[in-house]
Amino acid sequence: MKKGLLIILSGPSGVGKGTVRKYIMNRELFPMVFSVSMTTREPRATETNGVEYYFVSKEEFQKNIDNDNFLEWAEFVGNRYGTPRSIVEDLRNQGKNVLLEIEINGAEQVLSKVKDDRVVSFYLKPPSMKQLEARIRKRKSETEEVIQKRLAKAEAEMEKAKNYDFVIMNDRINRAGDEIIKILKEFDRD
Ligand code: 5GP
């Protein structure tokens, strides 16, 4: 049995990773399982524990770091986010494709640690910084200070795109999502 793909979907905060991820998963044109991360961030009104994230305390997160339970983890604007290692490995060993939707530091850790040829990485980029700002503001979930921090970080992150297998522009969700699905199908055919 072929090992499942490890699909990395990264890019600046607010670029629409979550929306594109939901789109490609809902299309059901390429089978994959979403890796639910652990975070110390407070849940947003629309979020459910165990669906978008496992929401945990700072202490519990630290315990998982100490026990080396994360494939990668990163601090992002004051909160911590991490990918549970054993879940990802078990699913891939069962032949399931696993999608990680993670920020750039975490993606770099995965790219440097996981060296098998069944890893495929996507960098989702916004059509412009103006659009990115508009998207973050539309979400209405962050304070002005947090918005400014996220934007500053996004600008610095833009130049990391070259480390990825594919750079996808999120001009329209359907177009970007369909492009990713097409690439995955081609990649898995080899
Ligand atoms: P948000 O607070 O908007 O849900 O997420 C903030 C950032 O953390 C987003 O860019 C999101 O993709 C990223 N993120 C979510 N889960 C993980 C994870 O497990 N590891 C890393 N490194 N980043 C994550």
Side-chain angles (χ1 to χ4, degrees):
M1 185 178 47
K2 260 198 297 193
K3 194 170 175 160
L5 290 177
L6 183 61
I7 304 159
I8 302 170
L9 181 60
S10 193
S13 163
V15 73
K17 296 191 289 293
T19 322
V20 169
R21 185 250 305 166
K22 281 181 200 142
Y23 172 82
I24 59 183
M25 295 196 77
N26 287 342
R27 294 277 285 160
E28 293 183 354
L29 293 172
F30 188 83
M32 63 180 98
V33 184
F34 173 58
S35 159
V36 179
S37 297
M38 223 178 252
T39 183
T40 60
R41 168 166 78 58
E42 288 294 316
R44 296 183 183 131
T46 53
E47 292 175 329
T48 312
N49 192 32
V51 178
E52 285 84 4
Y53 289 107
Y54 296 108
F55 296 97
V56 299
S57 65
K58 291 192 171 106
E59 293 72 25
E60 198 172 338
F61 197 97
Q62 185 60 49
K63 232 186 264 168
N64 280 282
I65 296 175
D66 296 341
N67 293 333
D68 199 23
N69 289 344
F70 291 123
L71 174 60
E72 61 73 35
W73 70 270
E75 190 143 335
F76 185 88
V77 194
N79 291 301
R80 287 176 167 187
Y81 301 80
T83 304
R85 180 205 311 279
S86 62
I87 301 178
V88 172
E89 283 177 0
D90 291 350
L91 287 168
R92 290 191 70 205
N93 288 335
Q94 292 163 29
K96 296 205 169 103
N97 304 316
V98 180
L99 175 76
L100 307 185
E101 180 208 316
I102 58 179
E103 55 71 66
I104 280 150
N105 286 325
E108 285 188 349
Q109 292 172 47
V110 179
L111 289 174
S112 67
K113 269 189 217 166
V114 187
K115 289 291 183 200
D116 64 74
D117 60 0
R118 304 275 297 153
V119 179
V120 55
S121 57
F122 295 94
Y123 183 95
L124 202 60
K125 72 168 189 180
S128 68
M129 285 305 290
K130 253 206 174 117
Q131 281 230 14
L132 184 69
E133 179 168 358
R135 280 197 195 139
I136 294 180
R137 289 194 185 283
K138 214 168 104 192
R139 203 155 64 187
K140 290 197 171 70
S141 55
E142 279 98 8
T143 61
E144 182 60 30
E145 192 192 344
V146 172
I147 289 172
Q148 290 304 333
K149 279 190 186 157
R150 284 187 178 234
L151 284 172
K153 207 173 164 79
E155 207 139 3
E157 285 172 348
M158 262 346 154
E159 60 190 71
K160 305 272 172 129
K162 60 180 184 305
N163 301 335
Y164 292 75
D165 296 322
F166 300 96
V167 177
I168 311 287
M169 190 195 286
N170 190 18
D171 45 0
R172 279 185 300 118
I173 291 150
N174 301 19
R175 200 211 55 75
D178 290 342
E179 189 181 347
I180 292 173
I181 293 169
K182 185 164 169 260
I183 291 170
L184 287 171
K185 285 186 163 180
E186 277 165 17
F187 193 91
D188 208 29
R189 205 176 292 145
D190 302 337

